[in-house]
Amino acid sequence: FRNVEDRFHVVAADGAEPEFVRFIQQHPIPLAYGTLVGRVGLERRTIYFEDAATDPRYTWREALRRGGFRSNLGVPLMRKGAVVGVINLFGGAPSMFSDNQIRLVETFAEQAVIAMENVRLFEELRQRTDDLAEALQQQTATSEVLKVISRSTFDLPSLLSTLVESAARLSDADKATITREIDGRFYRAEAYGFSPEFLEFARRQPVERDHRTVTGRALVEGRVIHIPDVDADPEYDFGEGRQFDKFRTILGVPMLKEGRAVGVFALTRVDVRPFTARQIEMVSTFADQAAIAIENSRLFESVQARTRELAHSLAELQAAQDRLVQTEKLASLGQLTAGIAHEIKNPLNFVNNFSSLSIELLEEMSQILSGMSAGAGQHAELAEIGEMLRGNLEKIVQHGKRADSIIRNMLLHSRAGSGERQEVEINAIVEEAVNLAYHGARAEKPGLTVILLSVLDPAAGKVDAFPQELTRVLLNLFSNGLHATAKRRQQDNDARYEPTLTVSTRDLGGEVEIRIRDNGTGIPLEIQDRIFNPFFTTKPPGEGTGLGLSLSHDIVVKQHGGSIAFSSTPGEYTEFRIVLPRGGVSDAGRARSGQ
């Protein structure tokens, strides 16, 4: 017999009738008088009933009847003063056990105690070893998970996937999910072991904060929820979700942040097999790691967003600084240019005026000389000299006018102000500019005929711009296009050629596009990389200053933060493309302008 909580249970039997063994197995013997075993337990000594049938101290008559014994010997198994068991020997006749036999049994009892103690110590050692092995396994796995966390701190899906798989494996669960908060609601974000059908169902169904599911309860109560058997839980009702995957035991561990559940680890087992305290503790550790990972990811995203905002603000400040610096440079250059132009203009006026006066005087001199008597040879020589002087003076006048035009443009370029920046309808300003340019060209060249095509996007809308400066750019490009078509008609002398100027606008979202295309002479390849250089022109002397495209480039790129580019095939066409940001300088505009 073995003592378990002061009741003696049969643990081994030999020679007794099976019916009798079953009887005493069903009736553990209490620590009380009336039975031999109970008395040995109370008195903690060897007791021998030479004839139990006649001994008044033995009162368990049912056992006596079923066992059919007379002699009854009980020897205690003692450990540290306590009775841990009893060796009980039965004899069919009275007085069957001698003193020597009793001492022998007592010796066996001592050996049995030693053996039991050795077994107990061995079991404790084995249990301790198993516990240490399990703890080591969990610590190793936790260490590996922590390494994964350190390597993928900001890859939240991979991190949560690693955590849920590790938690399921180490806690001997069949399946597991992680539920976390997304846009104010809770969804099962990661899972392990579940079927694709279940995942599709679970991920589109938000988790309600109620007691029908273990996840909902953990969210509501903010504590570990352990249901050994969901079929026996009256509140549990996962609805149609359980038709995809069957499970009986389920564990829900909340991921807490400042006492509030921000997610839940849920682990399930197919059969009824509750989780141990050690397993629950380990899953709780993983839940804490998951909560930290989610918070770190949130903080990282917040820092990233703030960094992007600061970078954008810095870029805008740098662009504004660049514009201010450019404005100051242009202002200083404008003042210098204006000063030089004014200084040059006065002597240039004298050159032009005296050249014109000299031509008039030369004509008068020719008239006087024609009335004087001279030889034919002398008259011819004088006429030739006069013609040469006339030609030189005409060239001086021509180049003087071109110089005067350059100076006027320099003064225009150096103007201190460009008006107020304001919102303008891009289609309206384009239409106005093309009409002004066309009528101006017709006034200069009455025979000019050009087909004007407008393809204006109604969604082009408004841009924040300096309208006077933008009109100047458009007038310059339209005038150049009209000039190119007129020049091609003059050169080709082809009746089938139809001079055409096309202007179009297009909405680009945060920007607007303007395209100006002519089918004129085009731009020669060898000079295409220089057309935006100041004072470079392809027009004949007196017709262009070389400042129009340079001014247009500065106005579009430096003043408005946009871009201007062109494409051209000599003898076929030239097309300019202007892109303007709708409000201020865009990132794309800074990139195109090289800022």
Side-chain angles (χ1 to χ4, degrees), residues 337-351:
T337 303
I340 295 173
H342 279 296
E343 291 297 324
I344 294 175
K345 191 168 181 64
N346 288 331
L348 184 60
N349 286 337
F350 280 104
V351 170

Side-chain angles (χ1 to χ4, degrees), residues 179-182 184-186 209 214-224 252-265 287 291 294:
T179 297
R180 70 184 186 95
E181 190 173 7
I182 302 175
R185 304 203 71 178
F186 289 90
R209 297 167 60 92
V214 71
T215 302
R217 289 187 208 178
L219 289 173
V220 170
E221 300 183 18
R223 64 179 181 87
V224 174
V253 180
M255 300 183 292
L256 299 176
K257 175 195 170 187
E258 298 177 354
R260 185 179 72 89
V262 296
V264 175
F265 260 83
I294 291 173

Side-chain angles (χ1 to χ4, degrees), residues 368-520:
I368 293 171
L369 288 174
S370 63
M372 297 176 62
S373 61
Q378 292 177 328
H379 274 291
E381 185 177 355
L382 289 172
E384 182 180 356
I385 294 172
E387 287 300 321
M388 289 177 62
L389 288 173
R390 183 188 302 276
N392 290 342
L393 290 171
E394 287 176 351
K395 288 181 180 179
I396 292 173
V397 170
Q398 182 183 23
H399 287 285
K401 289 181 178 179
R402 181 170 184 270
D404 186 61
S405 176
I406 290 173
I407 290 172
R408 284 199 305 273
N409 277 277
M410 288 174 65
L411 290 171
L412 186 64
H413 197 186
S414 65
R415 244 180 7 180
S418 300
E420 294 292 330
R421 180 184 282 270
Q422 57 186 279
E423 282 194 342
V424 294
E425 289 283 352
I426 198 66
N427 287 343
I429 204 168
V430 167
E431 286 182 328
E432 179 184 0
V434 73
N435 287 331
L436 285 174
Y438 181 66
H439 290 299
R442 288 288 300 273
E444 184 179 347
K445 299 178 180 179
L448 178 68
T449 302
V450 178
I451 298 173
L452 299 178
L453 298 178
S454 296
V455 185
L456 306 181
D457 184 358
K462 297 181 179 182
V463 295
D464 190 18
F466 296 96
Q468 294 178 357
E469 299 302 307
L470 192 55
T471 300
R472 183 192 303 182
V473 172
L474 296 174
L475 285 173
N476 180 68
L477 296 178
F478 291 144
S479 298
N480 288 348
L482 294 170
H483 177 271
T485 58
K487 185 176 180 181
R488 180 175 175 183
R489 163 166 279 182
Q490 181 182 5
Q491 291 176 350
D492 291 356
N493 197 20
D494 184 355
R496 294 174 299 176
Y497 172 65
E498 294 182 343
T500 304
L501 182 69
T502 304
V503 58
S504 64
T505 59
R506 186 161 63 102
D507 174 31
L508 299 180
E511 298 173 320
V512 65
E513 175 191 78
I514 305 171
R515 288 181 181 266
I516 301 168
R517 183 186 181 100
D518 67 76
N519 63 346

Side-chain angles (χ1 to χ4, degrees), residues 259-336:
R260 185 179 72 89
V262 296
V264 175
F265 260 83
L267 295 92
T268 64
R269 286 173 174 166
V270 175
D271 53 352
V272 177
R273 190 160 43 94
F275 292 87
T276 66
R278 183 183 294 276
Q279 291 169 339
I280 294 174
E281 180 182 359
M282 181 199 61
V283 177
S284 298
T285 300
F286 280 14
D288 292 340
Q289 293 296 330
I292 294 171
I294 291 173
E295 179 64 10
N296 288 344
S297 177
R298 185 190 68 80
L299 292 174
F300 178 73
E301 288 297 328
S302 176
V303 170
Q304 288 289 90
R306 183 57 179 161
T307 301
R308 288 192 292 269
E309 290 177 3
L310 291 174
H312 182 70
S313 299
L314 179 60
E316 289 185 341
L317 288 173
Q318 289 176 338
Q321 184 182 31
D322 291 342
R323 288 198 301 275
L324 289 174
V325 171
Q326 187 64 35
T327 300
E328 291 297 323
K329 287 181 178 179
L330 290 175
S332 300
L333 179 60
Q335 293 176 359
L336 178 62

